[in-house]
Amino acid sequence: MYADLHLHTYFSDGTYSPEELVSHARASDLGTISLTDHDTVEGCERAHAACREAGIEFITGCEFTVEHGHRELHLLGYYLDTQNAPLQAALSRHQAARRERVRQMIERLNALGIPICEETVDGLAACRAPGRPHLARALVQQGYCESMDAAFQTYLKRGRSAWVAKEKMTCAEAITIIHGAGGVAVMAHPGITHMDDAIPELARSGLDGLECFYTRHSTAMTERYLALAARLGLLVTGGSDCHGMNKGRPLMGGIRVPIEYVGRLKAAARVAA
Ligand code: AMP
Ligand code: FE
Ligand code: FE
Ligand code: ZN
């Protein structure tokens, strides 16, 4: 049995409903999954219910965008108590910041002569954690860009004409919140984050694990992170980062994490809780 511990639904920037996600997990023969939407745990309850019916083990999760020394990284929280008040407060705050950022990016697009309106984007982002992928989809649907990637390249990437900086928690704050909600904190996709130099220090300040298995990690990278995790005493996780059709094709099934790693993650969460 295998796991995929990094998945998104339409509650953030994926295209699947929680039920569709679980039916793809079943088709991919996964025994355990975690839903890790950006800045929200709203989809977890439905995903959990669908997993129960499908006989799949479900782990609550969330992907936090954080900063550490002016650099950005993504932290995955697993085994979170989704009702935990400080967690909910932090998520609400960041969801509000996301909505405000989208509003500001729409203003920039309007100033560039692109009459995209908030209602259009809201219609595509029927969730509390909207982001640039929703804007990109609006730009494609309205014929202003040929593809999501073109929308990012032309307008939405850091430094491009409609880009607005994102408000972030510090890594230390996010780790505290994750631990406070009974969860474990894992650095997402280290191979594309390029912050290897900071990993030992983060491990000393509470980071629990490393996402060693990841769609865009080469075999050599995966081996390097497995060795680093072993050396620093960090847990090992992995996932596809499937966003449904938002990354061109569904990535689920491409990463198959051996179940023994999930057992260790679960044991660590119990200790943290
Ligand atoms: P945001 O959270 O609003 O800053 O948006 C970041 C999200 O945009 C990431 O999680 C990716 O899923 C997505 N993304 C980044 N670059 C691209 C791209 N070139 N094409 C499609 N999606 C992208
Ligand atoms: Fe995303
Ligand atoms: Fe990420
Ligand atoms: Zn992700």
Side-chain angles (χ1 to χ4, degrees):
M1 277 304 215
Y2 294 95
D4 185 336
L5 304 180
H6 191 155
L7 300 165
H8 295 265
T9 64
Y10 61 32
F11 281 101
S12 68
D13 57 356
T15 59
Y16 293 150
S17 66
E19 293 76 18
E20 285 165 337
L21 187 84
V22 173
S23 96
H24 281 271
R26 182 138 89 164
S28 306
D29 215 14
L30 293 165
T32 303
I33 64 165
S34 179
L35 174 58
T36 53
D37 272 320
H38 298 281
D39 293 336
T40 183
V41 292
E42 284 165 278
C44 284
E45 204 176 313
R46 277 171 53 188
H48 196 173
C51 275
R52 221 177 277 129
E53 284 207 358
I56 293 173
E57 185 174 339
F58 180 74
I59 300 171
T60 55
C62 183
E63 183 171 18
F64 301 80
T65 305
V66 305
E67 64 188 358
H68 180 72
H70 301 291
R71 288 186 291 177
E72 178 180 310
L73 69 134
H74 292 179
L75 264 192
L76 297 160
Y78 291 114
Y79 290 102
L80 299 165
D81 166 11
T82 57
Q83 302 301 316
N84 176 264
L87 170 70
Q88 293 237 343
L91 292 177
S92 300
R93 212 167 55 238
H94 283 83
Q95 289 160 9
R98 276 181 171 275
R99 290 192 291 271
E100 174 57 20
R101 180 188 186 214
V102 165
R103 206 190 53 71
Q104 287 177 13
M105 286 194 282
I106 290 172
E107 266 177 18
R108 292 204 177 201
L109 286 166
N110 293 165
L112 290 164
I114 297 173
I116 291 266
C117 60
E118 270 186 67
E119 288 69 33
T120 309
V121 180
D122 282 351
L124 289 170
C127 65
R128 296 194 193 130
R132 289 178 293 164
H134 301 104
L135 279 168
R137 238 189 286 161
L139 287 165
V140 173
Q141 279 190 6
Q142 310 252 315
Y144 295 106
C145 294
E146 290 212 330
S147 64
M148 302 257 306
D149 201 45
F152 270 89
Q153 293 303 332
T154 315
Y155 299 110
L156 305 174
K157 255 178 83 163
R158 182 187 194 93
R160 298 293 199 268
S161 50
W163 178 76
V164 172
K166 188 172 181 180
E167 193 188 301
K168 299 171 214 105
M169 290 188 237
T170 67
C171 191
E173 276 173 306
I175 290 175
T176 302
I177 286 167
I178 291 168
H179 286 168
V184 290
V186 173
M187 187 196 235
H189 40 67
I192 59 168
T193 302
H194 306 298
M195 283 186 59
D196 289 7
D197 57 305
I199 295 175
E201 173 200 338
L202 290 171
R204 282 192 298 274
S205 44
L207 184 74
D208 301 298
L210 266 191
E211 188 178 48
C212 298
F213 302 99
Y214 186 72
T215 303
R216 286 160 64 196
H217 283 177
S218 64
T219 308
M221 257 181 207
T222 299
E223 275 164 16
R224 185 153 53 84
Y225 289 117
L226 285 171
L228 184 61
R231 187 155 62 78
L232 297 173
L234 291 170
L235 295 160
V236 170
T237 72
S240 64
D241 208 358
C242 181
H243 282 65
M245 297 310 289
N246 254 1
K247 288 194 174 174
R249 66 190 168 89
L251 299 172
M252 212 194 300
I255 292 288
R256 305 176 77 75
V257 181
I259 220 78
E260 73 221 42
Y261 293 113
V262 180
R264 285 181 211 141
L265 192 70
K266 193 173 188 171
R270 276 211 213 92
V271 172

